[in-house]
Amino acid sequence: MKQVLIVGAGPVGLTLGTLLCQYGVECVVMEKRKSRLSASKAFSLHARTTEMLRLLNADIGINTKAVKVEEMRLYSQRNLLSNMRFGKSSNTECRTIHSYPQSLLESELETAFCSNGGLIEKDATVFQIDHQPQGYLVHYKCQDDVKSRFFDYVVGCDGANSIVRQLANIDCSESAYSENFLVADCKVESMSHNVDYQKHGHTFLSSKGYVMLFPIDRDYTRVVIDTDKQYSGESESTNLTYLNRELEARGLSVHIGDVKWISVADVRSSLASKYSVEVVE
Ligand SMILES: Cc1cc2nc3c(=O)[nH]c(=O)nc-3n(C[C@H](O)[C@H](O)[C@H](O)COP(=O)(O)OP(=O)(O)OC[C@H]3O[C@@H](n4cnc5c(N)ncnc54)[C@H](O)[C@@H]3O)c2cc1C
C-alpha cells in the first residue's frame, strides 16, 4: 500500500491525516516538537473552518468545548458604530464563530488521527527530501539520531516557513502589516464600560490605538492591542503592569487581573505559488 508522510502536526496536518486514514490511506505524521505547546495561539474557528472540520466525522469537541460568539461590536472613540452578527446572511449551517484555543483543538485532532489508525512520530525534524524513481527518501533528525525513511508521497503541513515547500523549490509571496500586535489571554477583573466581553467580540478604534477583546473560554478573554514592543518573555507582573497601562492609555478602563499567555505577533499574508510538484522521471 502507498504510504504518505505528512510533515507537521498542526491543525492542517492532523486534519489531513485523519481524513486520509478514514479513506483507508496509510499515513505517518512527523512533528519536530517533543510535546504540544500549552499556549493557545489561534482562537477563532471561522464558519468555513468549522464546516471543513465537520467532514472529519469525529467528535473534536466543537459543540461542547468551544464558546459560540455570535457578534462582533465595533466602536470608534468608545461609541458603538456597528454590530456585526456573524453568518446572518449565510446559508451555511455553521453560522457563528467558535472560540476554541488551537492547543485544545490540536489535542482533539491528534486523538481523532490516532484513533483512526494514524501514527505520529514526535521529536522528528525533517531536513532533507531526496526524490527517487518510486517516491521520496526523507531524512529527519530524531532525538540525537539522523534517520531516513521512504514514502510514496510527502505533504508539507509544516507552517509558514515550511521546509517541505522550500525543498520543493516553491516560491511564496509575502506581505506583512506594518504594526505588530500584542496578543494575551487574560482574566478581565473589571471594566467600567458596559460591554459583555464574555459573550461577544469587541473592537475599539481610536487615535490612541487598537484594542480587541474576544471571549476565549468561560474565564479568559483574548486581548489584542497594536504595539511597537518586541516581546521577550518578561515576568507575569511586568506583563500585567504593561497591559493595564496600555489599555488605560487607549482610554479603556479595563483592569486585567491575570495573564495566562502573552506574545507579540507580526501579521503576514503569504501564498505559495503552487500547491504541488509533480516530478516526472
Ligand atoms: C497569535 C496567533 C493567533 C492566531 N489566531 C488565529 C485565529 O484566531 N484564527 C485562525 O484561523 N488562525 C489564527 N492564527 C493562524 C493559525 O495559527 C495558523 O493559520 C495555523 O496554525 C496554521 O496551521 P498549520 O497546521 O498549517 O501550521 P502550524 O500550526 O504552524 O503547524 C505546523 C507544524 O509543523 C511543525 N514543523 C515545522 N517544521 C517542521 C519540520 N521540519 N519537521 C517536522 N515538523 C515541523 C511545527 O512544529 C508545527 O507543529 C493565529 C496565529 C497566531 C500566531
Side-chain angles (χ1 to χ4, degrees):
M1 187 188 265
K2 303 259 186 210
Q3 269 218 336
V4 177
L5 169 66
I6 296 172
V7 183
V12 175
L14 291 168
T15 302
L16 174 68
T18 309
L19 279 171
L20 286 177
C21 288
Q22 289 175 350
Y23 282 113
V25 178
E26 239 177 62
C27 73
V28 173
V29 169
M30 284 189 191
E31 166 56 51
K32 72 176 178 186
R33 286 197 220 117
K34 283 189 191 135
S35 56
R36 188 159 305 294
L37 291 178
S38 57
S40 55
K41 252 170 82 174
F43 62 101
S44 65
L45 293 179
H46 296 276
R48 182 65 181 141
T49 312
T50 308
E51 213 169 40
M52 294 304 292
L53 287 170
R54 291 215 171 147
L55 293 177
L56 285 181
N57 200 16
D59 180 11
I60 49 169
I62 296 180
N63 289 336
T64 47
K65 295 179 184 165
V67 179
K68 277 189 189 169
V69 183
E70 291 178 355
E71 289 181 29
M72 172 62 97
R73 296 181 180 170
L74 185 64
Y75 304 79
S76 173
Q77 314 295 343
R78 289 196 270 166
N79 299 313
L80 184 63
L81 275 187
S82 81
N83 184 0
M84 290 174 276
R85 302 216 57 194
F86 299 130
K88 256 292 180 196
S89 58
S90 142
N91 287 329
T92 171
E93 53 161 336
C94 311
R95 283 167 187 258
T96 55
I97 283 193
H98 289 82
S99 198
Y100 198 17
Q102 184 171 340
S103 46
L104 286 185
L105 175 68
E106 283 180 7
S107 148
E108 294 284 342
L109 286 171
E110 187 172 326
T111 305
F113 175 61
C114 295
S115 60
N116 277 278
L119 288 175
I120 302 192
E121 214 168 309
K122 291 190 180 165
D123 196 5
T125 306
V126 172
F127 65 92
Q128 182 65 46
I129 302 172
D130 294 334
H131 179 243
Q132 298 197 330
Q134 305 299 322
Y136 300 90
L137 188 63
V138 176
H139 307 281
Y140 59 103
K141 284 190 195 119
C142 190
Q143 291 159 17
D144 292 330
D145 293 337
V146 171
K147 296 186 179 178
S148 304
R149 192 166 157 187
F150 180 84
F151 291 92
D152 298 280
Y153 297 93
V154 178
V155 189
C157 297
D158 46 344
N161 301 311
S162 167
I163 186 78
V164 177
R165 176 179 58 71
Q166 291 169 39
L167 292 172
N169 284 323
I170 297 175
D171 298 333
C172 194
S173 63
E174 201 167 279
S175 63
Y177 282 48
S178 49
E179 304 92 0
N180 282 343
F181 292 90
L182 185 140
V183 290
D185 294 348
C186 321
K187 241 182 200 165
V188 175
E189 268 192 351
S190 62
M191 181 152 182
S192 62
H193 220 63
N194 187 21
V195 299
D196 192 347
Y197 54 85
Q198 279 170 316
K199 197 165 172 211
H200 306 305
H202 302 272
T203 300
F204 298 89
L205 304 171
S206 79
S207 53
K208 291 171 185 156
Y210 168 98
V211 178
M212 188 191 75
L213 305 176
F214 207 90
I216 191 153
D217 59 27
R218 260 183 231 133
D219 299 318
Y220 283 83
T221 302
R222 170 64 61 91
V223 177
V224 181
I225 59 174
D226 54 328
T227 183
D228 49 17
K229 193 172 162 72
Q230 297 296 320
Y231 209 78
S232 55
E234 280 113 320
S235 71
E236 194 183 319
S237 62
T238 316
N239 291 337
L240 267 176
T241 313
Y242 177 77
L243 254 181
N244 281 319
R245 203 180 49 226
E246 288 297 307
L247 289 168
E248 205 180 310
R250 286 164 172 75
L252 278 179
S253 314
V254 185
H255 189 78
I256 302 299
D258 175 26
V259 180
K260 187 158 66 172
W261 176 64
I262 191 162
S263 184
V264 169
D266 61 323
V267 181
R268 291 182 278 166
S269 143
S270 20
L271 186 65
S273 56
K274 51 186 172 179
Y275 298 143
S276 65
V277 194
E278 208 165 319
V279 187
V280 183
E281 280 298 300

